[in-house]
């Protein structure tokens, strides 16, 4: 999609575990799933409506938190899909620290919330920043 700029959150600085916590808190706020209910992936039975999206994702939706040090999400995505092979999902929602291009997975409607999309969410959500104060340290100075 794009790359980092002066107004991007530096999600890489969170590290893998804090990034997963960010994803859990975001999903808890937006989808009503308890943050403690999942680690790297979870299934939302009824599908997902994302803020600002014109149409919801078909259910069940597999939600995956993919941390990538190298910026490539395909390897961790393939691992999550292998580990979730028993789930008959209709869609896939990927949250990643990478600046990701579109991904395709046969039979699934795929949406990616990459670093650019997550930056917009973090900057527009005071509730999320209150739940995870470490976001203040990775946010652009002009927006804190």
């Amino acid at each position: 999609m794009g790359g980092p700029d002066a107004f991007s959150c530096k999600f890489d600085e969170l590290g893998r575990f804090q990034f997963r916590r960010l994803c859990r808190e975001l999903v808890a706020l937006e989808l009503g799933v308890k943050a403690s209910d999942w680690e790297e992936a979870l299934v939302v039975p009824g599908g997902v409506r994302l803020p600002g999206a014109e149409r919801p994702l078909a259910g069940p939706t597999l939600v995956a938190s993919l941390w990538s040090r190298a910026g490539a999400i395909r390897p961790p995505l393939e691992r999550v899909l292998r580990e979730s092979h028993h789930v008959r999902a209709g869609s896939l929602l990927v949250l990643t620290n990478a600046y990701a291009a579109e991904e395709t997975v046969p039979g699934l409607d795929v949406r990616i919330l990459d670093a650019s999309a997550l930056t917009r969410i973090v900057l527009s959500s005071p509730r999320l920043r209150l739940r995870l104060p470490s976001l203040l340290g990775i946010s652009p100075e002009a927006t804190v």
Side-chain angles (χ1 to χ4, degrees):
M1 295 202 165
D5 60 31
F7 298 103
S8 296
C9 290
K10 297 175 180 101
F11 295 108
D12 292 345
E13 292 181 12
L14 285 178
R16 181 178 59 189
F17 296 108
Q18 278 290 345
F19 182 76
R20 280 191 188 161
R21 182 163 177 226
L22 162 62
C23 295
R24 287 193 310 262
E25 294 297 338
L26 173 63
V27 167
L29 281 173
E30 297 296 334
L31 307 180
V33 175
K34 287 192 321 191
S36 61
D37 284 350
W38 67 295
E39 278 298 315
E40 189 174 35
L42 91 130
V43 177
V44 179
V48 171
R49 176 171 282 287
L50 298 170
E54 58 223 34
R55 63 182 172 77
L57 289 167
T61 299
L62 177 62
V63 180
S65 165
L66 301 182
W67 169 261
S68 174
R69 183 177 308 277
I73 66 167
R74 195 63 192 189
L77 176 59
E78 288 175 356
R79 186 186 76 254
V80 166
L81 291 171
R82 270 193 316 274
E83 292 172 359
S84 305
H85 70 278
H86 60 284
V87 175
R88 293 210 182 273
S91 59
L92 171 66
L93 173 61
V94 175
L95 297 91
T96 181
N97 65 306
Y99 290 89
E102 292 298 314
E103 290 285 339
T104 59
V105 177
L108 293 178
D109 182 10
V110 179
R111 300 267 174 82
I112 298 177
L113 294 182
D114 71 346
S116 295
L118 289 176
T119 292
R120 288 189 298 277
I121 292 169
V122 166
L123 297 181
S124 68
S125 178
R127 286 181 58 207
L128 182 60
R129 292 191 307 272
L130 282 172
R131 289 176 94 154
L132 196 61
S134 59
L135 293 174
L136 296 175
I138 65 156
S139 296
E141 285 184 34
T143 60
V144 179

